[in-house]
Structure formats: C-alpha cells, structure tokens
Amino acid sequence: MSETRHIGKYEIQALLGKSSAASVYRGADGARAVALKVVNRSAIEPAILARLRDATGSLGRVRHPGIVPFIELIEGGNASCFVFELAEGETLAARMKRAPPDLKQTWEIARQLLEALEAAHARGIFHGDLKPANVFLDAQDRIYITDFGMGALADAGAPHYMAPEQFSEDKGTIRTDLYQVGAIVYHLVTGKLPFTGTREEIVHRVLQDRPTDPSSCTAKIAWQLDWVIQRALAKDPMHRFGSAREFMDGLRLGLQDSIGSPLAVPTPALATAPKAVAAPAPAVAPAPALVPKAAAEPAPAPEMMLAQTARLISKPAAPATPEKAPDTNGKTRVLFVDDDERILNALRALFRQQYHVFTAENAAVALDIVRHSAIQVVVSDQRMPGTTGVELLREIRKTAPQTVRLLLTGYSDLAAVMGSVNEGEVFRFVKKPWDNDEIRATLAQAAALVAKLSPDAPRVASAPRSAGSLLVIEPGQSLAKGLERLLAGAARVEVAATVAEAAKILQQRHAIAAIVADLAAGKDDLVKLFKALKEKRPEILSILVSKEPDAELVAELINQAQIYRFLAKPVNPRELRMHVSAALRRYALFKQTVKMKESGLAASLGGNPERLVTRSA
C-alpha cells in the first residue's frame, strides 16, 4: 500500500467525517481499530492548536470505561493527527431518533456521562463539545464519550448544546461541560432542544433567554427536575453545579421525584480503559511520515488517613439520654421562606400533616410572621430578591433567638455558607434539590431541638469565665501566639502541630473548651476529627480557619460536625477574639449545666444540656 494511505504506523481505511478544520478517518494498527483526527494546522489559530497539544498529556492519564482512550499525537508536514481508539455502536443522537429514552434510561445515560466527566475533570481535562453525536452506546447501553480534549475545535455553526461563554473569548471550564450535559438532559426528558431557530436566533437565546421549564413540555416532570436542569443551564457558570458529582446527586433526586420511585445511587466506576470504541469527529488530509508523541502514564493520587481518631478523643461524658419527642401538645410551627411559589407549595404539601406550616415569599413577610406567630423553626432559601437567606436568618436570630434556623440553597456559595454559620448560626445547611427522607429527618431533628429550647424549660444562669483550655492545631505557631495575646490569660492555650498530636492531647486532657484549627494542618484529618468530636465530645466547639475556604467543605462541617465558626484568612483579630471568647463562655455554661444535671436539677432540659448550650445566645 502506498505511503499516502498511512499516518505513521496507522493504515487509513475510510473517511468518517469532515469539517473546515479537521477530518476523521477510520484506521487500523494491525487488528486494532482507531480513529484518526487529522487537524489542518493552517486552518486553525496557533493558540487553538497549542491548547489541543497541551491537552494530550492529561488525556493520556484519563482512564475511565466511559471515555474513549487517547493513544498518541503524531505531527508532521502541515498536519497534526490525534489518535483515539475507535468507538463502535450507535450514537446517542441516533438512539434519540430511533427510540427516545424514558426517564429511567435518561438517568442511566446521564449518570454514566457525569461519572466519566468526574474522572476527566479530576485530571484537569474538560470536553467542551459534548453533544449526542459525540456519545456512543453499545449493545448493553454503556456509554462512550468521544473527542475528549478536542473542544477547541467545536463547530460554532451548531450551537444547540454550546454554553453562553463559548460564544465569547472564554475557552470554557468544567462548568461548560455541565451546561452541555444539562442541554442533553433537557433534550432527553422533553424530546426538544432548549433553544431552536436560526443560528443567530439560537445564539441570542442562549445568551439572553431562560429555557422553557421541562415540566411545561411533559406533565410528569416534577419541579425538582425543572430546578436541576435550569440550574445546569444557568447563564453564569458560577450559578451552575460546581462538579459532576453535585449535578449527578441533584439529577437523581429530580428524576426519582418525577418517576415516583427511587433510583440507584451510583457506585464509582473502575478506572480501566474500555474495549475499542471512539467516534467520528471532524478534522484535513493527512500528512505522511508523521512523528509520534507518546502519551504520559497515569499517576495515582495520595490519600491521608487518621487512624482511630474517635477512640483517641473519647472520654467518659455525662450520660446521654434519648432525644425528647417534639411538642406533644401541639404541632411545631415551621416557617418556609422562598421566592419560588412551587417550592413553597412542595414544602407545604410535604410537611403540613406533621407541622403547623407557614410560608413567606420574601424577607419582609417572613419577619412579620416571626414577630407575630411564635415561629419555632425557620427554613430560608439563600437566593432571593432584595435580601439573602443569611441576612434574613441574622435578623431572625436577633428577633427570635430561640428559633432553630436552617439555610436552604442549591448553590455552592461560599459567602452564603460561611455567613450562615458565622452570622445566622444555622442548625443545618439543606441543599436543593432535597431528598424527601433526608429533609424530613432534618426537620424532625430541628423539632426535637425546639422541645429542648422551649420557653417552659428552666433557664441556666449567665456563664462564668471558662475553666477550660483552648487547643490550637496549626503547622506553625503564629495563630497560637496571637491568641495568647488576644485572650490575655483568660484561658490556657495548648498547641498541636498535627491532628494526630491534637488527638493525643484530647485523650489526655478533658478540660478542652474549644479548638481553633488551621486547615493547613490537613483537611481530611481535620474533617474526621471534627466529626468524631461531635459524637464523642459535643461540648467542645470547633473554629476552623483557612486561606482558601471551600463551600462544600463548610456545608459538610455544618451538617455533619456542627462546626461553630469558619473564618477566612487573613483573620480579623477582633472577630477571632469575639468568637473564641463566646466559645469559652459556652463551655463554662456547659460545665455549669452538667453540675445541675449531676445534682438532679437539669432533668427537664431534655437530657442533652450540651445541645442547649450550643444554641444559647
């Protein structure tokens, strides 16, 4: 066979597709089928070619069953050839025309797409051109994504699945991929594209308009699924889901709410390469004698482990008693605040049998209800016109400090999450879309706490100065030295350079009032420590400081470890002193309450005085 029928060692067998910048050929390396994406370097900008080249190193390290493997880059003459395994099977575009998937099939397709994206995003690679033509399904409905890393060559003449930022100079991010999955899911559940019309009309609508709610196209779609898809299709990338996993979790809840039955929680896929399956995607006539550039090998990611933390920090504590049932004489009074009437209707329907439910569509109405209706639990959305949920909860805390407050939001909003713990003192952080069983359990916990904080419960006297120590966990000692100056002898300051050292101190010292920890001491280990503290030493309040706070981490620590405060570096000394002093006073109140319990004076506090202390003003 002549040299013109080969690219390097690969035999060219057939043209599969072509665009202005590239051509895709079916090729073979002996018995191995490959896809040869040949890019005409004179037809694209040098910056785009540089991005494609830069992507190849990471592409070689992505190994996932749902991603067609990249093999190598071959360059020579006026062309660059990107070699992938060949995807065999049916494209998702063809499947949608032949037999549109139902909602359960949509879940399986979207789940696999998002799992594959999660693996790629972890390697710093995003696709940029996700569309049904680039997704293949085999006979068992396993999906394979083709053209990974080739998003820079996306055809702007086919804008149906493109994100708003792709029409500007922005090259896109992983949130661009999540937008494109959102557009695919929209198409799958409705049978329609989010936007239609001429290219110019579609571009204008992508940039300016909100897609029609899927439920207006199909009655069986629940508001939860509307909300999830609309969030994925948000114009501002920061308003979309922050990760493929977060999108997947929300999509599962929205779809199962629409189907009316549970969907399986996905398990992580094995990190192995699929058997030959890659796809035709456009790219120019090949140049002969191209020189291979090998792909890099994958590198495993290390994990930190803290052994037996719970055992190390446990101590004999005041005996626990079962939680008191909420309000046996009447229903707990719960206020839901959200500017979306459908969400309020859904919450009202979910809880009206168990609680006395109030609703408000804005902060002004909510505050009026709190002042006049003896509200006990407030659940507020974060993103509302005029006033945020954090601002509202802060005002409610001033007006009715005994309310149990929860923040409801679907956004990974760091300011909101940190504000909720530092200003509104939320009991829990609830994410949209919610799981009905989980939100029921959270409201039940809040109602149980209401019983402990009942106005009829005896009040504990003002706390004396703390008799406990402050434990500082940080690699250096700057934070500890600063606290020693700030506290001026009000409490002893102990220092641990690592979480393991801190666990030993906690095992040996029972009079630790509060912990101030720098996230630089080890995020994973600190999370484990704080969770163990909640279970074993709930009287200890935890304050975490971090140079680069993470919204998801803060939310996790609110819900699972009940962290007391979360502060961003550089820390304001006055703010730090205020929070530490409050924590020390609360510890003193805890000690006083324990003495009351031991003398038989605290029986009516619900058997859990430390929870009362945590919520005291």
Side-chain angles (χ1 to χ4, degrees), residues 64-246:
H64 189 276
I67 297 176
V68 173
F70 170 74
I71 299 173
E72 63 178 331
L73 168 62
I74 303 173
E75 296 196 276
N78 191 38
S80 297
C81 178
F82 298 85
V83 184
F84 294 84
E85 287 193 10
L86 184 70
E88 307 282 8
E90 181 180 33
T91 67
L92 179 57
R95 169 67 63 85
M96 291 166 70
K97 290 180 180 178
R98 179 178 62 80
D102 60 22
L103 292 183
K104 287 186 178 180
Q105 292 169 327
T106 293
W107 164 242
E108 286 304 314
I109 292 168
R111 174 186 65 79
Q112 294 180 73
L113 275 173
L114 290 166
E115 284 182 341
L117 288 176
E118 184 178 39
H121 293 168
R123 293 290 186 181
I125 290 290
F126 71 97
H127 192 289
D129 192 22
L130 285 166
K131 55 190 176 186
N134 282 340
V135 178
F136 278 65
L137 294 92
D138 66 11
Q140 287 74 43
D141 279 349
R142 291 185 296 246
I143 70 104
Y144 305 98
I145 303 175
T146 67
D147 262 15
F148 235 106
M150 302 290 105
L153 295 175
D155 184 3
H160 297 92
Y161 300 94
M162 293 178 69
E165 61 270 19
Q166 292 184 289
F167 298 107
S168 67
E169 295 301 318
D170 193 335
K171 65 178 181 180
T173 67
I174 62 174
R175 293 178 190 245
T176 304
D177 283 355
L178 301 184
Y179 178 99
Q180 292 176 340
V181 175
I184 292 172
V185 171
Y186 187 103
H187 198 172
L188 286 169
V189 301
T190 66
K192 300 177 181 179
L193 292 161
F195 302 112
T196 57
T198 64
R199 181 190 180 282
E200 291 73 20
E201 289 170 341
I202 293 171
V203 171
H204 175 79
R205 297 191 65 195
V206 167
L207 293 172
Q208 302 295 332
D209 296 346
R210 184 177 187 269
T212 302
D213 282 336
S215 60
S216 66
C217 304
T218 307
K220 62 184 176 181
I221 291 176
W223 79 265
Q224 294 259 42
L225 185 54
D226 275 348
W227 187 90
V228 169
I229 293 174
Q230 291 289 9
R231 181 179 173 189
L233 296 175
K235 307 301 180 192
D236 185 342
M238 296 309 296
H239 291 172
R240 299 173 201 155
F241 293 100
S243 69
R245 178 63 52 174
E246 186 184 5

Side-chain angles (χ1 to χ4, degrees), residues 376 402 450-459:
Q376 295 162 299
Q402 291 300 106
V450 163
K452 297 184 180 69
L453 302 180
S454 163
D456 298 329
R459 305 311 302 158

Side-chain angles (χ1 to χ4, degrees), residues 51 121 136 158 170 227 252 274 291 322 412 485 493 498 567 570 609:
R51 289 202 335 240
H121 293 168
F136 278 65
D170 193 335
W227 187 90
R252 177 178 62 83
V291 182
S412 300
R485 291 194 299 270
V493 177
T498 67
L567 305 176

